[in-house]
Amino acid sequence: MNIVDLRSDTVTQPTPEMRIAMAAAPVGDDVYGEDPTVNRLQEMAAARLGKEAGLFVPSGTMGNLVAVLAHCNRGDEVIMGTLAHTFLFEGGGISALGGVFPHTIPNQPDGTLSLEAIQSAIRPDDAHHPISRLVILENTQNRCGGVILSAEYTRQVGDLAHRKNLLLHIDGARIFNAAVGLGVDVKELVEPAESVTFCLSKGLCAPVGSVLVGSRDFIHKAHRIRKQLGGGMRQAGIIAAAGIYALENMIERLGEDHRRAKLLAKGLTGVEGLKVEIENPPSNMVFVQVSDEIKLPTAQIANKMAELGVKIGVTGSKRFRMVTHFWIEDEGIEHTVAAFKQVLADAV
């Protein structure tokens, strides 16, 4: 049975061409700065996002953690959304390892943080308060349905932060999905930010890794923190080569993932017992809610779907997430819709 795995775009495996590039990569000791493939990836990533320098890290979680620790001192405060990945899914690392306090404010349905809420969250210069140091935005915004933050909005947040002497970091795990979705150069989406993390191992299909970009001084500091966190890698060019291939070959095709997400949303809109949250998804995520008339728990629905060869993500007591990616074809979308109809027909 061919499995249609929609749990996440992190399940992507390297393409045959990517594996060839990995096998042929020249390598050296990256801790000494001598891996030519890692160096090329870092330079390429920085140039692609319009920043001075880049740092290859094992994961987006480490990239975000390194960024916060490089920007903030112990006792400082970071403003982010209640649905931010850094707040929800990164093990509390900024607090546990950096002594940095998260100040969360509500994400709006469109994924944004209201400018008024950000303004209100910034602390006055008072010894009773932590120092507001950093704002984090996430683009695309995962838990709001893979929605895309516009360049104009990001610029407004950057302007506000900078007027108040704060910095801006973008968790751009899927920033290239955002750029392709809007049809703009990725540089426009990240221009106001002092730092950006993006993942190679999601829609871009690399097996591992993310890149953190920013100014040369920032990356110099971030490099030391990566070492402290155990992120020093040796002949890492083998995996960096996959990232280079991804940047050169896998970005423009993200539009196919978006098209299939729209196809999936359209198909599921007609399934009794399901409500598609965004009927025209802006990127590669489709979130659906299960109606109260369906008595089967979501975990059991997911298990029954898996028995039919479809894996989906459970994100709540009545909510699923499905993420399209390189390894999902149109036939897989059709099979997913048919499987939902079969499972839910017996669940009323």
Side-chain angles (χ1 to χ4, degrees):
M1 178 189 297
N2 292 327
I3 301 298
V4 181
D5 196 339
L6 293 163
R7 290 172 298 172
S8 176
D9 45 10
T10 61
V11 304
T12 53
Q13 298 183 14
T15 66
E17 297 81 6
M18 191 178 284
R19 291 176 186 269
I20 291 172
M22 294 168 69
V27 298
D29 192 316
D30 178 52
V31 172
Y32 291 125
E34 296 175 354
D35 191 302
T37 308
V38 171
N39 292 342
R40 183 182 171 212
L41 171 63
Q42 292 174 159
E43 292 165 4
M44 179 184 296
R48 182 65 70 103
L49 274 73
K51 305 301 181 185
E52 292 180 346
L55 182 68
F56 187 39
V57 293
S59 70
T61 293
M62 181 181 282
N64 288 334
L65 176 59
V66 168
V68 172
L69 299 188
H71 286 311
C72 300
N73 298 311
R74 299 188 69 84
D76 285 351
E77 186 172 68
V78 176
I79 298 167
M80 69 183 81
T82 51
L83 298 178
H85 192 277
T86 300
F87 178 61
L88 293 177
F89 301 119
E90 297 181 6
I94 64 170
S95 298
L97 302 177
V100 177
F101 186 70
H103 187 155
T104 58
I105 56 180
N107 286 94
Q108 305 302 301
D110 64 356
T112 63
L113 308 175
S114 79
L115 298 178
E116 293 78 9
I118 295 173
Q119 173 78 51
S120 297
I122 298 173
R123 306 274 191 168
D125 184 8
D126 187 314
H128 294 87
H129 302 310
I131 296 172
S132 299
R133 185 77 65 184
L134 180 68
V135 178
I136 297 180
L137 297 178
E138 183 181 334
N139 198 9
T140 62
Q141 217 300 328
N142 182 344
R143 276 301 186 261
C144 291
V147 294
I148 299 171
L149 308 186
S150 69
E152 179 182 2
Y153 167 75
T154 304
R155 193 175 304 110
Q156 291 174 339
V157 174
D159 288 346
L160 171 59
H162 298 153
R163 286 198 305 271
K164 298 295 184 178
N165 295 317
L166 274 68
L167 304 170
L168 174 62
H169 172 69
I170 295 177
D171 174 3
R174 297 178 176 88
I175 193 67
F176 289 105
N177 288 91
V180 169
L182 292 176
V184 302
D185 190 321
V186 69
K187 293 177 184 177
E188 294 184 39
L189 297 180
V190 302
E191 190 277 329
E194 277 69 34
S195 58
V196 187
T197 303
F198 71 88
C199 288
L200 298 162
S201 58
K202 293 186 169 71
L204 300 186
C205 263
V208 63
S210 293
V211 184
L212 173 65
V213 298
S215 69
R216 286 189 178 85
D217 287 344
F218 168 78
I219 292 298
H220 178 76
K221 185 175 182 180
H223 186 274
R224 178 183 292 273
I225 293 170
R226 186 190 71 173
K227 180 65 175 177
Q228 292 174 334
L229 295 176
M233 297 178 285
R234 300 296 179 175
Q235 288 71 36
I238 293 172
I239 52 176
I244 291 172
Y245 184 90
L247 290 178
E248 290 179 336
N249 298 280
M250 304 301 287
I251 292 174
E252 294 305 319
R253 64 144 308 278
L254 291 173
E256 282 296 294
D257 299 340
H258 299 180
R259 180 185 67 80
R260 290 191 172 101
K262 290 175 172 60
L263 189 64
L264 178 60
K266 182 178 179 180
L268 294 178
T269 299
V271 177
E272 186 174 354
L274 290 183
K275 176 178 173 52
V276 178
E277 292 184 1
I278 302 177
E279 295 185 3
N280 186 33
S283 62
N284 65 329
M285 294 186 186
V286 178
F287 283 81
V288 298
Q289 296 181 18
V290 180
S291 66
D292 291 336
E293 66 197 44
I294 303 298
K295 304 306 180 185
L296 203 61
T298 49
Q300 291 187 33
I301 294 174
N303 289 338
K304 289 182 177 295
M305 291 286 289
E307 292 172 3
L308 296 176
V310 179
K311 295 183 178 181
I312 56 177
V314 177
T315 59
S317 61
K318 290 283 187 178
R319 195 183 194 215
F320 296 111
R321 183 187 76 159
M322 285 154 281
V323 186
T324 54
H325 51 80
F326 179 82
W327 298 102
I328 301 298
E329 301 289 345
D330 288 357
E331 294 79 7
I333 300 298
E334 295 170 3
H335 181 63
T336 299
V337 174
F340 261 116
K341 289 179 178 177
Q342 181 177 335
V343 170
L344 295 182
D346 301 326
V348 179

